[in-house]
Amino acid sequence: MVLVIIAILAGLSMPAMQSAFVEQAVRRDSHQLALMVKTAMIQSAEQHRAYVIELANTTMALHPVGEAAAAPDASAPADDDDAAANNSATADVEVTSELDAPNKLLTPDPDKTDAWIAMPDGTQWVFQPGELCPATRVRLTRGNAWLEMSFDALTGNVENEATYFP
């Protein structure tokens, strides 16, 4: 009898645990994207040059536009703390993040109200120094679950967030 009760309780808790795992995966990817947007805004302003977030089906990548990461200054001594601090303060930021496999990025459909379409591969959000955030609304989906974010154009912070986790 005890085993039957344990089996019933385990069966009842499975959907709740599955929903929690889905929510965690979607929130992890949305947090990474929000962090990339904020980092792009800050780095473009601090370094006075453009940064880009490239979005694909399975990855998000943040890097300076058209430039590779700066090589460390060979003339600076390796043990000089001030030189190391100066290099790290102006170093290029490059971040690549894999989306959790079934998660998908969507963008609002320009032709239909409240409709979403798949984010085209190779979508680029370019963050110019002193300009507003180009990313306004995105939706991360996983099956029927979704998390929608809108970004503040001035600061790049997540302004509104709506979720549905069945």
mmCIF file of all heavy atoms in Angstrom, residues 10 13-30 99-103 140-147 164-166:
data_model
loop_
_atom_site.group_PDB
_atom_site.id
_atom_site.type_symbol
_atom_site.label_atom_id
_atom_site.label_comp_id
_atom_site.label_asym_id
_atom_site.label_seq_id
_atom_site.Cartn_x
_atom_site.Cartn_y
_atom_site.Cartn_z
ATOM 1 N N ALA A 10 4.490 10.398 -6.814
ATOM 2 C CA ALA A 10 5.543 10.651 -7.810
ATOM 3 C C ALA A 10 4.923 10.992 -9.161
ATOM 4 O O ALA A 10 5.389 11.904 -9.865
ATOM 5 C CB ALA A 10 6.459 9.444 -7.922
ATOM 6 N N SER A 13 3.635 14.561 -9.145
ATOM 7 C CA SER A 13 4.651 15.615 -9.087
ATOM 8 C C SER A 13 5.469 15.738 -10.375
ATOM 9 O O SER A 13 6.139 16.751 -10.580
ATOM 10 C CB SER A 13 5.591 15.378 -7.901
ATOM 11 O OG SER A 13 6.344 14.202 -8.107
ATOM 12 N N MET A 14 5.421 14.754 -11.256
ATOM 13 C CA MET A 14 6.211 14.793 -12.492
ATOM 14 C C MET A 14 5.905 16.002 -13.371
ATOM 15 O O MET A 14 6.834 16.676 -13.833
ATOM 16 C CB MET A 14 6.054 13.493 -13.285
ATOM 17 C CG MET A 14 6.768 12.320 -12.657
ATOM 18 S SD MET A 14 8.506 12.660 -12.463
ATOM 19 C CE MET A 14 9.117 11.785 -13.858
ATOM 20 N N PRO A 15 4.645 16.342 -13.662
ATOM 21 C CA PRO A 15 4.381 17.514 -14.502
ATOM 22 C C PRO A 15 4.915 18.816 -13.889
ATOM 23 O O PRO A 15 5.429 19.672 -14.595
ATOM 24 C CB PRO A 15 2.852 17.550 -14.617
ATOM 25 C CG PRO A 15 2.412 16.155 -14.356
ATOM 26 C CD PRO A 15 3.412 15.605 -13.379
ATOM 27 N N ALA A 16 4.807 18.952 -12.581
ATOM 28 C CA ALA A 16 5.307 20.161 -11.921
ATOM 29 C C ALA A 16 6.828 20.254 -12.043
ATOM 30 O O ALA A 16 7.373 21.332 -12.294
ATOM 31 C CB ALA A 16 4.893 20.171 -10.455
ATOM 32 N N MET A 17 7.515 19.129 -11.887
ATOM 33 C CA MET A 17 8.978 19.135 -12.013
ATOM 34 C C MET A 17 9.380 19.419 -13.452
ATOM 35 O O MET A 17 10.328 20.172 -13.699
ATOM 36 C CB MET A 17 9.563 17.802 -11.541
ATOM 37 C CG MET A 17 9.503 17.630 -10.048
ATOM 38 S SD MET A 17 10.298 16.173 -9.328
ATOM 39 C CE MET A 17 10.733 15.130 -10.654
ATOM 40 N N GLN A 18 8.667 18.839 -14.402
ATOM 41 C CA GLN A 18 8.970 19.066 -15.810
ATOM 42 C C GLN A 18 8.779 20.544 -16.170
ATOM 43 O O GLN A 18 9.596 21.138 -16.855
ATOM 44 C CB GLN A 18 8.084 18.184 -16.668
ATOM 45 C CG GLN A 18 8.591 17.924 -18.038
ATOM 46 C CD GLN A 18 7.771 16.836 -18.728
ATOM 47 O OE1 GLN A 18 6.614 16.607 -18.412
ATOM 48 N NE2 GLN A 18 8.398 16.166 -19.667
ATOM 49 N N SER A 19 7.709 21.154 -15.680
ATOM 50 C CA SER A 19 7.450 22.567 -15.920
ATOM 51 C C SER A 19 8.550 23.441 -15.309
ATOM 52 O O SER A 19 8.975 24.428 -15.903
ATOM 53 C CB SER A 19 6.088 22.960 -15.350
ATOM 54 O OG SER A 19 5.855 24.328 -15.537
ATOM 55 N N ALA A 20 9.031 23.064 -14.139
ATOM 56 C CA ALA A 20 10.109 23.813 -13.486
ATOM 57 C C ALA A 20 11.391 23.751 -14.308
ATOM 58 O O ALA A 20 12.109 24.759 -14.431
ATOM 59 C CB ALA A 20 10.346 23.289 -12.077
ATOM 60 N N PHE A 21 11.706 22.608 -14.882
ATOM 61 C CA PHE A 21 12.902 22.481 -15.712
ATOM 62 C C PHE A 21 12.789 23.325 -16.980
ATOM 63 O O PHE A 21 13.750 23.959 -17.409
ATOM 64 C CB PHE A 21 13.188 21.016 -16.065
ATOM 65 C CG PHE A 21 13.715 20.207 -14.919
ATOM 66 C CD1 PHE A 21 13.128 18.993 -14.590
ATOM 67 C CD2 PHE A 21 14.791 20.643 -14.163
ATOM 68 C CE1 PHE A 21 13.614 18.232 -13.529
ATOM 69 C CE2 PHE A 21 15.280 19.900 -13.105
ATOM 70 C CZ PHE A 21 14.683 18.691 -12.785
ATOM 71 N N VAL A 22 11.607 23.330 -17.598
ATOM 72 C CA VAL A 22 11.384 24.144 -18.795
ATOM 73 C C VAL A 22 11.540 25.624 -18.450
ATOM 74 O O VAL A 22 12.217 26.370 -19.154
ATOM 75 C CB VAL A 22 9.980 23.857 -19.398
ATOM 76 C CG1 VAL A 22 9.611 24.898 -20.437
ATOM 77 C CG2 VAL A 22 9.948 22.468 -19.995
ATOM 78 N N GLU A 23 10.923 26.048 -17.352
ATOM 79 C CA GLU A 23 11.023 27.453 -16.944
ATOM 80 C C GLU A 23 12.471 27.850 -16.675
ATOM 81 O O GLU A 23 12.929 28.915 -17.088
ATOM 82 C CB GLU A 23 10.174 27.700 -15.704
ATOM 83 C CG GLU A 23 10.199 29.146 -15.255
ATOM 84 C CD GLU A 23 9.279 29.420 -14.084
ATOM 85 O OE1 GLU A 23 8.506 28.524 -13.670
ATOM 86 O OE2 GLU A 23 9.333 30.561 -13.587
ATOM 87 N N GLN A 24 13.219 26.997 -16.014
ATOM 88 C CA GLN A 24 14.616 27.284 -15.719
ATOM 89 C C GLN A 24 15.425 27.449 -17.009
ATOM 90 O O GLN A 24 16.232 28.364 -17.131
ATOM 91 C CB GLN A 24 15.222 26.183 -14.849
ATOM 92 C CG GLN A 24 16.684 26.416 -14.528
ATOM 93 C CD GLN A 24 17.316 25.244 -13.803
ATOM 94 O OE1 GLN A 24 16.762 24.143 -13.768
ATOM 95 N NE2 GLN A 24 18.479 25.482 -13.231
ATOM 96 N N ALA A 25 15.216 26.578 -17.989
ATOM 97 C CA ALA A 25 15.961 26.648 -19.245
ATOM 98 C C ALA A 25 15.631 27.922 -20.021
ATOM 99 O O ALA A 25 16.525 28.588 -20.552
ATOM 100 C CB ALA A 25 15.668 25.418 -20.104
ATOM 101 N N VAL A 26 14.360 28.288 -20.082
ATOM 102 C CA VAL A 26 13.962 29.502 -20.801
ATOM 103 C C VAL A 26 14.492 30.733 -20.079
ATOM 104 O O VAL A 26 15.011 31.660 -20.708
ATOM 105 C CB VAL A 26 12.428 29.548 -20.964
ATOM 106 C CG1 VAL A 26 11.977 30.892 -21.497
ATOM 107 C CG2 VAL A 26 11.959 28.430 -21.889
ATOM 108 N N ARG A 27 14.381 30.777 -18.761
ATOM 109 C CA ARG A 27 14.867 31.938 -17.996
ATOM 110 C C ARG A 27 16.387 32.087 -18.101
ATOM 111 O O ARG A 27 16.898 33.192 -18.152
ATOM 112 C CB ARG A 27 14.439 31.838 -16.543
ATOM 113 C CG ARG A 27 12.971 32.133 -16.352
ATOM 114 C CD ARG A 27 12.631 32.383 -14.898
ATOM 115 N NE ARG A 27 11.212 32.592 -14.725
ATOM 116 C CZ ARG A 27 10.596 33.747 -14.913
ATOM 117 N NH1 ARG A 27 11.287 34.803 -15.282
ATOM 118 N NH2 ARG A 27 9.292 33.858 -14.737
ATOM 119 N N ARG A 28 17.109 30.972 -18.145
ATOM 120 C CA ARG A 28 18.572 31.033 -18.271
ATOM 121 C C ARG A 28 18.966 31.704 -19.595
ATOM 122 O O ARG A 28 19.795 32.598 -19.634
ATOM 123 C CB ARG A 28 19.175 29.635 -18.160
ATOM 124 C CG ARG A 28 20.680 29.595 -18.233
ATOM 125 C CD ARG A 28 21.279 28.198 -18.049
ATOM 126 N NE ARG A 28 20.524 27.145 -18.696
ATOM 127 C CZ ARG A 28 19.886 26.160 -18.049
ATOM 128 N NH1 ARG A 28 19.910 26.106 -16.733
ATOM 129 N NH2 ARG A 28 19.231 25.235 -18.724
ATOM 130 N N ASP A 29 18.324 31.299 -20.696
ATOM 131 C CA ASP A 29 18.627 31.901 -21.996
ATOM 132 C C ASP A 29 18.173 33.355 -22.062
ATOM 133 O O ASP A 29 18.865 34.204 -22.631
ATOM 134 C CB ASP A 29 17.986 31.099 -23.126
ATOM 135 C CG ASP A 29 18.738 29.810 -23.418
ATOM 136 O OD1 ASP A 29 19.893 29.666 -22.963
ATOM 137 O OD2 ASP A 29 18.166 28.945 -24.112
ATOM 138 N N SER A 30 17.032 33.682 -21.465
ATOM 139 C CA SER A 30 16.565 35.071 -21.484
ATOM 140 C C SER A 30 17.478 35.959 -20.660
ATOM 141 O O SER A 30 17.763 37.093 -21.043
ATOM 142 C CB SER A 30 15.124 35.173 -20.980
ATOM 143 O OG SER A 30 15.052 34.913 -19.598
ATOM 144 N N LEU A 99 22.049 28.478 -27.132
ATOM 145 C CA LEU A 99 20.689 28.364 -26.621
ATOM 146 C C LEU A 99 20.443 26.925 -26.206
ATOM 147 O O LEU A 99 20.947 26.004 -26.844
ATOM 148 C CB LEU A 99 19.671 28.745 -27.695
ATOM 149 C CG LEU A 99 19.504 30.218 -28.015
ATOM 150 C CD1 LEU A 99 18.545 30.400 -29.179
ATOM 151 C CD2 LEU A 99 19.013 30.988 -26.817
ATOM 152 N N ASP A 100 19.698 26.733 -25.137
ATOM 153 C CA ASP A 100 19.313 25.390 -24.724
ATOM 154 C C ASP A 100 18.526 24.771 -25.879
ATOM 155 O O ASP A 100 17.584 25.372 -26.384
ATOM 156 C CB ASP A 100 18.479 25.467 -23.451
ATOM 157 C CG ASP A 100 18.433 24.160 -22.708
ATOM 158 O OD1 ASP A 100 18.819 23.135 -23.290
ATOM 159 O OD2 ASP A 100 18.004 24.158 -21.554
ATOM 160 N N ALA A 101 18.898 23.594 -26.318
ATOM 161 C CA ALA A 101 18.493 22.980 -27.590
ATOM 162 C C ALA A 101 17.079 23.270 -28.088
ATOM 163 O O ALA A 101 16.933 23.797 -29.170
ATOM 164 C CB ALA A 101 18.749 21.484 -27.549
ATOM 165 N N PRO A 102 15.996 22.989 -27.383
ATOM 166 C CA PRO A 102 14.693 23.247 -28.000
ATOM 167 C C PRO A 102 14.218 24.698 -27.901
ATOM 168 O O PRO A 102 13.185 25.034 -28.461
ATOM 169 C CB PRO A 102 13.736 22.314 -27.254
ATOM 170 C CG PRO A 102 14.445 21.849 -26.058
ATOM 171 C CD PRO A 102 15.884 22.163 -26.197
ATOM 172 N N ASN A 103 14.935 25.555 -27.199
ATOM 173 C CA ASN A 103 14.518 26.956 -27.099
ATOM 174 C C ASN A 103 14.644 27.641 -28.451
ATOM 175 O O ASN A 103 15.577 27.383 -29.208
ATOM 176 C CB ASN A 103 15.361 27.715 -26.080
ATOM 177 C CG ASN A 103 15.050 27.321 -24.659
ATOM 178 O OD1 ASN A 103 14.119 26.587 -24.392
ATOM 179 N ND2 ASN A 103 15.847 27.825 -23.739
ATOM 180 N N LEU A 140 11.251 34.117 -26.174
ATOM 181 C CA LEU A 140 11.925 32.819 -26.121
ATOM 182 C C LEU A 140 10.854 31.771 -25.885
ATOM 183 O O LEU A 140 10.045 31.914 -24.959
ATOM 184 C CB LEU A 140 12.924 32.778 -24.975
ATOM 185 C CG LEU A 140 14.345 33.151 -25.322
ATOM 186 C CD1 LEU A 140 15.103 33.532 -24.080
ATOM 187 C CD2 LEU A 140 15.035 32.030 -26.034
ATOM 188 N N THR A 141 10.822 30.739 -26.726
ATOM 189 C CA THR A 141 9.818 29.693 -26.576
ATOM 190 C C THR A 141 10.471 28.331 -26.407
ATOM 191 O O THR A 141 11.585 28.102 -26.855
ATOM 192 C CB THR A 141 8.873 29.618 -27.796
ATOM 193 O OG1 THR A 141 9.630 29.236 -28.944
ATOM 194 C CG2 THR A 141 8.193 30.942 -28.044
ATOM 195 N N ARG A 142 9.742 27.459 -25.774
ATOM 196 C CA ARG A 142 10.137 26.051 -25.628
ATOM 197 C C ARG A 142 8.843 25.274 -25.520
ATOM 198 O O ARG A 142 8.190 25.297 -24.481
ATOM 199 C CB ARG A 142 10.999 25.853 -24.395
ATOM 200 C CG ARG A 142 11.519 24.431 -24.239
ATOM 201 C CD ARG A 142 12.327 24.324 -22.951
ATOM 202 N NE ARG A 142 12.957 23.056 -22.843
ATOM 203 C CZ ARG A 142 14.274 22.880 -22.773
ATOM 204 N NH1 ARG A 142 15.071 23.910 -22.795
ATOM 205 N NH2 ARG A 142 14.785 21.683 -22.661
ATOM 206 N N GLY A 143 8.449 24.648 -26.618
ATOM 207 C CA GLY A 143 7.152 23.979 -26.657
ATOM 208 C C GLY A 143 6.049 25.020 -26.535
ATOM 209 O O GLY A 143 6.042 26.019 -27.241
ATOM 210 N N ASN A 144 5.134 24.820 -25.601
ATOM 211 C CA ASN A 144 4.055 25.778 -25.370
ATOM 212 C C ASN A 144 4.456 26.893 -24.411
ATOM 213 O O ASN A 144 3.741 27.878 -24.279
ATOM 214 C CB ASN A 144 2.817 25.064 -24.820
ATOM 215 C CG ASN A 144 2.195 24.154 -25.839
ATOM 216 O OD1 ASN A 144 2.325 24.370 -27.040
ATOM 217 N ND2 ASN A 144 1.524 23.112 -25.380
ATOM 218 N N ALA A 145 5.559 26.729 -23.711
ATOM 219 C CA ALA A 145 6.014 27.733 -22.742
ATOM 220 C C ALA A 145 6.733 28.863 -23.465
ATOM 221 O O ALA A 145 7.385 28.652 -24.488
ATOM 222 C CB ALA A 145 6.950 27.084 -21.731
ATOM 223 N N TRP A 146 6.594 30.077 -22.925
ATOM 224 C CA TRP A 146 7.299 31.214 -23.515
ATOM 225 C C TRP A 146 7.575 32.285 -22.484
ATOM 226 O O TRP A 146 6.923 32.372 -21.448
ATOM 227 C CB TRP A 146 6.556 31.794 -24.710
ATOM 228 C CG TRP A 146 5.119 32.170 -24.472
ATOM 229 C CD1 TRP A 146 4.024 31.401 -24.752
ATOM 230 C CD2 TRP A 146 4.617 33.394 -23.936
ATOM 231 N NE1 TRP A 146 2.879 32.079 -24.412
ATOM 232 C CE2 TRP A 146 3.205 33.306 -23.915
ATOM 233 C CE3 TRP A 146 5.205 34.567 -23.476
ATOM 234 C CZ2 TRP A 146 2.396 34.332 -23.445
ATOM 235 C CZ3 TRP A 146 4.393 35.590 -23.003
ATOM 236 C CH2 TRP A 146 3.018 35.470 -22.998
ATOM 237 N N LEU A 147 8.577 33.096 -22.785
ATOM 238 C CA LEU A 147 8.929 34.264 -21.991
ATOM 239 C C LEU A 147 9.158 35.405 -22.973
ATOM 240 O O LEU A 147 9.968 35.283 -23.886
ATOM 241 C CB LEU A 147 10.191 34.008 -21.166
ATOM 242 C CG LEU A 147 10.618 35.122 -20.227
ATOM 243 C CD1 LEU A 147 11.196 34.537 -18.959
ATOM 244 C CD2 LEU A 147 11.600 36.056 -20.867
ATOM 245 N N TYR A 164 4.509 32.544 -19.876
ATOM 246 C CA TYR A 164 3.492 31.492 -19.835
ATOM 247 C C TYR A 164 4.233 30.172 -19.708
ATOM 248 O O TYR A 164 4.964 29.769 -20.610
ATOM 249 C CB TYR A 164 2.622 31.502 -21.088
ATOM 250 C CG TYR A 164 1.664 30.335 -21.140
ATOM 251 C CD1 TYR A 164 0.573 30.282 -20.282
ATOM 252 C CD2 TYR A 164 1.881 29.271 -21.996
ATOM 253 C CE1 TYR A 164 -0.304 29.197 -20.298
ATOM 254 C CE2 TYR A 164 1.020 28.191 -22.032
ATOM 255 C CZ TYR A 164 -0.074 28.159 -21.173
ATOM 256 O OH TYR A 164 -0.923 27.102 -21.184
ATOM 257 N N PHE A 165 4.074 29.534 -18.568
ATOM 258 C CA PHE A 165 4.672 28.221 -18.322
ATOM 259 C C PHE A 165 3.568 27.273 -17.884
ATOM 260 O O PHE A 165 3.160 27.302 -16.736
ATOM 261 C CB PHE A 165 5.762 28.307 -17.242
ATOM 262 C CG PHE A 165 6.942 29.140 -17.656
ATOM 263 C CD1 PHE A 165 7.142 30.406 -17.121
ATOM 264 C CD2 PHE A 165 7.840 28.671 -18.585
ATOM 265 C CE1 PHE A 165 8.218 31.169 -17.508
ATOM 266 C CE2 PHE A 165 8.918 29.429 -18.978
ATOM 267 C CZ PHE A 165 9.114 30.697 -18.437
ATOM 268 N N PRO A 166 3.056 26.445 -18.831
ATOM 269 C CA PRO A 166 1.937 25.543 -18.478
ATOM 270 C C PRO A 166 2.352 24.488 -17.466
ATOM 271 O O PRO A 166 3.453 24.140 -17.309
ATOM 272 C CB PRO A 166 1.557 24.907 -19.797
ATOM 273 C CG PRO A 166 2.716 25.088 -20.708
ATOM 274 C CD PRO A 166 3.505 26.244 -20.173
#
